[in-house]
Amino acid sequence: MKRLLLGIACGVAALAWAGLPSTVKLDNARVHVTEVTAAPGSVRERGVRAHDQAIVFLDDCRYERTDPKTGAKTIQERKAGDVIWHTQGEDAPQLVNTGGKAYRTVVIELK
């Protein structure tokens, strides 16, 4: 049963990144690490975070964030090396890469 729930949770987490090229870098009983590439204009859809996660930005980037509660749109800029934290159960906003180039992130999900 635990494996079934874990598989479902990983599937929900993957839904938020669906459509964006990604590569699994490490997957074990404690952590799932994925490198995700967001091309210019690409959209990461809204979803609920299945796990606590740290996101490491490998490239400078600029993206539009749509607040999941209010619908307000804001522009976020991150620098290569920036790290952000998200908590399990958070309502992850829709993101759109508004920059002129692709950017990469490493998503580290704790199981």
Side-chain angles (χ1 to χ4, degrees):
M1 180 61 138
K2 185 177 177 181
R3 283 184 184 259
L4 174 63
L5 292 176
L6 182 61
I8 291 169
C10 287
V12 170
L15 289 178
W17 301 102
L20 297 181
S22 62
T23 304
V24 174
K25 297 295 189 176
L26 176 66
D27 188 22
N28 63 32
R30 300 183 69 185
V31 68
H32 181 81
V33 180
T34 308
E35 183 178 322
V36 179
T37 302
S42 65
V43 177
R44 191 211 61 193
E45 294 298 338
R46 177 182 175 185
V48 176
R49 297 186 196 281
H51 302 282
D52 288 342
Q53 59 183 213
I55 300 176
V56 181
F57 291 82
L58 300 179
D59 304 299
D60 292 351
C61 65
R62 177 182 169 91
Y63 56 88
E64 179 185 79
R65 177 189 185 276
T66 302
D67 186 277
K69 291 183 175 79
T70 67
K73 295 178 187 274
T74 58
I75 297 295
Q76 298 286 320
E77 293 187 6
R78 305 287 182 183
K79 297 290 185 190
D82 284 355
V83 179
I84 58 176
W85 174 262
H86 293 292
T87 303
Q88 179 181 13
E90 282 183 11
D91 195 352
Q94 179 186 60
L95 304 179
V96 178
N97 180 356
T98 58
K101 62 180 182 168
Y103 71 89
R104 298 167 299 139
T105 57
V106 173
V107 180
I108 304 161
E109 294 181 310
L110 305 179
K111 295 182 180 179

